[in-house]
Amino acid sequence: MTRRLAEVAKKVGVSEATVSRVLNGKPGVSDATREAVLTALDVLGYERPTQLRGDRARLVGLVLPELQNPIFPAFAEVVGGALAQQGFTSVLCTRTVGGVTEAEYVDLLLQQQVSGVVFAGGLYAQADASHAHYELILERKLPTVLVNAAVEHLHFPQVSSDDVVAAEMAIRHLRALGHERIGLVLGPRDHMPSRRKLDTFLADGGDPGDVEHTIFSLEGGHAAATRLVKRGVTGIVCASDLLALGAVRAARRAGLAVPQDVSVIGYDDSALMNCTEPPLTTVRQPIDAMGRAAVELLVAQIDRAVVPADELLFEPELVVRASTARARP
């Protein structure tokens, strides 16, 4: 008990006596300090005293697939800051291969009595994945927001970058540069944002034979783009910046120059894409606006407002750098 008092007091920056007053329900402590002590208990993994468990903790789970892709730490920074302004503490949950699964994180968050959850890049975007843990959240009526394209049967508020507009921008940019043979590197076949980009590509006259599906990684982009380069494409549109960097590497290893022989476009505009060689042309997701909107939707649910299970679509932006150029005549 003494160790718990000391840890919580240090975390909040108050005396052990103040922590003790909060835990024992004694008066003489401000509401802000009381809330800070209870939040520290949750963060440190201690159970609240029985008489203080009536309300949910002011914690919000932020569930991400990984941190290697720079877009996810950037999103976490925006959401964490916006939550802090609203008096909430974010709990970062990152899936790892062979580690804690998304469903296991959901169980942990429910045990911690979190006020809500924001998912980004989750299994809700994969049609063939298990969605039982999302059904559990719906059943518990826990405030939740999904970021970027959920499958149709999950009825949560959603915030998404417009994949149709993103694909149109990239394809039209390459066509304006005279590229007639354009290839597409996408995520897995059941990945909903990739499906939207694929539908747009095909509707624009793209050849389904010039489409490659792969895992979201540098290596996946390299393997997929290698196949496209062998087929003679001169422009490659990728579903992430990491895939695009893999495509640049594939072109070079085939003895081709980027952008003189092959133009490459990424998606996200994650950190340092203006520092690559060549600097990457990409479609920027409006992460700041999307992150703030996700928090606003979540807090509205926590405050018991009625929030429709709609998808808010945010307009991406084409950022032209040096990885695209006019096609050779």
Side-chain angles (χ1 to χ4, degrees):
M1 179 66 175
T2 303
R3 179 186 170 193
R4 179 174 68 168
L5 288 175
E7 285 190 22
V8 174
K10 183 179 179 181
K11 182 82 172 174
V12 180
V14 297
S15 68
E16 291 182 30
T18 298
V19 175
S20 179
R21 296 184 74 83
V22 172
L23 298 184
N24 290 297
K26 299 291 181 63
V29 182
S30 70
D31 289 342
T33 299
R34 190 179 304 277
E35 196 61 56
V37 168
L38 294 177
T39 298
L41 276 177
D42 298 325
V43 170
L44 293 170
Y46 293 122
E47 287 192 14
R48 294 187 180 201
T50 305
Q51 72 272 19
L52 299 177
R53 293 181 193 167
D55 295 328
R56 292 189 183 277
R58 290 186 71 80
L59 297 175
V60 170
L62 176 56
V63 184
L64 304 175
E66 56 163 320
L67 293 178
Q68 289 184 331
N69 186 334
I71 200 67
F72 292 117
F75 183 76
E77 184 177 4
V78 173
V79 170
L83 285 169
Q85 291 176 348
Q86 298 281 351
F88 292 92
T89 300
S90 59
V91 179
L92 184 60
C93 304
T94 308
R95 302 198 316 262
T96 55
V97 177
V100 180
T101 66
E102 195 174 82
E104 289 169 337
Y105 272 129
V106 167
D107 286 340
L108 290 170
L109 293 170
L110 290 172
Q111 289 173 25
Q112 290 296 320
Q113 292 281 300
V114 295
S115 296
V117 186
V118 176
F119 289 90
L123 296 177
Y124 57 82
Q126 293 178 233
D128 298 338
S130 171
H131 298 136
H133 52 294
Y134 300 117
E135 303 289 354
L136 178 61
I137 291 174
L138 282 168
E139 196 177 292
R140 297 283 185 90
K141 298 183 178 178
L142 180 66
T144 298
V145 177
L146 309 181
V147 178
N148 279 333
V151 294
E152 291 181 358
H153 66 83
L154 294 174
H155 302 294
F156 292 108
Q158 301 166 47
V159 171
S160 299
S161 179
D162 194 324
D163 293 299
V164 172
V165 172
E168 287 176 346
M169 285 178 171
I171 294 165
R172 288 173 185 174
H173 175 61
L174 290 178
R175 293 207 189 286
L177 292 172
H179 293 275
E180 297 179 0
R181 188 83 185 271
I182 297 172
L184 202 59
V185 177
L186 300 172
R189 293 181 185 277
D190 67 336
H191 184 245
M192 300 308 293
S194 292
R195 283 187 179 182
R196 291 178 175 182
K197 291 181 174 73
L198 174 59
D199 290 343
T200 305
F201 176 74
L202 297 177
D204 196 67
D207 185 343
D210 290 332
V211 176
E212 290 290 335
H213 292 272
T214 186
I215 59 173
F216 281 102
S217 68
L218 186 73
E219 293 76 17
H222 180 190
T226 296
R227 294 189 289 271
L228 291 175
V229 167
K230 286 180 179 178
R231 290 179 211 147
V233 303
T234 63
I236 302 176
V237 176
C238 300
S240 78
D241 290 338
L242 285 182
L243 291 175
L245 294 180
V248 171
R249 188 171 72 179
R252 286 177 173 161
R253 291 196 176 175
L256 302 173
V258 177
Q260 292 85 351
D261 300 309
V262 179
S263 288
V264 177
I265 299 180
Y267 179 73
D268 284 335
D269 195 27
S270 45
L272 305 181
M273 290 306 105
N274 61 333
C275 300
T276 58
E277 181 53 44
L280 188 68
T281 296
T282 187
V283 179
R284 176 183 294 160
Q285 286 201 69
I287 289 299
D288 286 352
M290 290 170 62
R292 289 194 301 271
V295 171
E296 287 175 11
L297 289 172
L298 189 77
V299 172
Q301 293 176 71
I302 293 170
D303 292 340
R304 305 190 190 285
V306 177
V307 179
D310 295 332
E311 183 178 27
L312 298 182
L313 290 177
F314 285 74
E315 190 91 355
E317 176 189 358
L318 179 67
V319 181
V320 179
R321 298 193 180 105
S323 66
T324 52
R326 185 159 294 281
R328 289 189 184 277

